[in-house]
Amino acid sequence: MDAITRDATQKMEKSLEALKNQFGKLRTGRASLNLLDDIRVDYYGQMVPLNQVATLGIPEPRLITIAPWEASIIPAIEKAIDKANIGLNPVSDGKLIRLPIPALSEERRKDLVKSLKGHGEDARVSVRHARRDAMDLVKKQEKDSALTEDDAKKAGTIIQKLTDDFIAKIDAMVQTKEKEIMQV
């Protein structure tokens, strides 16, 4: 029974982590290095993460700076940023690339909130799938007489409480991120 709840907890935590990663990639009008996490740069024939060929920084709330370790890769970095389609336009002075973060329009904010709620619902569905899998295991063990009926009900109650806790965490994360996005 402990193995089942432990496995369900791990799956639910993975759902929560995936949601955090998705939220980190949403542009909220403030500079965040998470926006650049998925950008890969062609560096001598290898596709490497941006943070492995440059120093990234946030000198101001609405500006990200990229200081490449070699000036020769500036065009490759600019191309990778454009290709990533993150809605930012790189500005280069030959040594440093600046990514100004424009203010979000009201319409864009609403679109982001809609996307945010979609990610939240995906995470809730994932948590429910973990619950279903755990409950199926409990029922199977009860059927195979590995668990008594009382233990099966107890396990079901524990799994349901876990599910409720994780869904509450997801809802809180969605609400917090929504406030952050809608803040002007």
Side-chain angles (χ1 to χ4, degrees), residues 108-119:
R108 178 70 178 133
R109 288 178 197 276
K110 288 179 181 174
D111 288 344
L112 281 173
V113 168
K114 196 182 292 184
S115 170
L116 173 84
K117 289 182 178 180
H119 291 308

Side-chain angles (χ1 to χ4, degrees), residues 77-128:
I77 292 174
E78 289 175 330
K79 186 176 174 183
I81 292 170
D82 286 338
K83 199 168 134 184
N85 197 21
I86 56 174
L88 300 177
N89 296 319
V91 178
S92 171
D93 65 5
K95 292 181 181 174
L96 188 71
I97 299 172
R98 290 178 181 78
L99 289 174
I101 311 289
L104 297 173
S105 67
E106 186 67 25
E107 184 178 321
R108 178 70 178 133
R109 288 178 197 276
K110 288 179 181 174
D111 288 344
L112 281 173
V113 168
K114 196 182 292 184
S115 170
L116 173 84
K117 289 182 178 180
H119 291 308
E121 184 56 34
D122 291 345
R124 283 191 287 278
V125 167
S126 180
V127 166
R128 288 188 205 113

Side-chain angles (χ1 to χ4, degrees), residues 27-94:
R27 192 162 62 87
T28 60
R30 272 189 253 137
S32 169
L33 296 180
N34 292 343
L35 292 170
L36 307 176
D37 281 350
D38 291 337
I39 296 179
R40 303 238 181 260
V41 179
D42 184 9
Y43 185 65
Y44 295 110
Q46 296 286 330
M47 296 305 284
V48 296
L50 179 59
N51 62 1
Q52 291 183 7
V53 295
T55 303
L56 308 175
I58 302 176
E60 302 171 20
R62 291 188 177 251
L63 180 69
I64 297 174
T65 58
I66 303 168
W69 298 331
E70 294 179 31
S72 63
I73 62 167
I74 288 179
I77 292 174
E78 289 175 330
K79 186 176 174 183
I81 292 170
D82 286 338
K83 199 168 134 184
N85 197 21
I86 56 174
L88 300 177
N89 296 319
V91 178
S92 171
D93 65 5

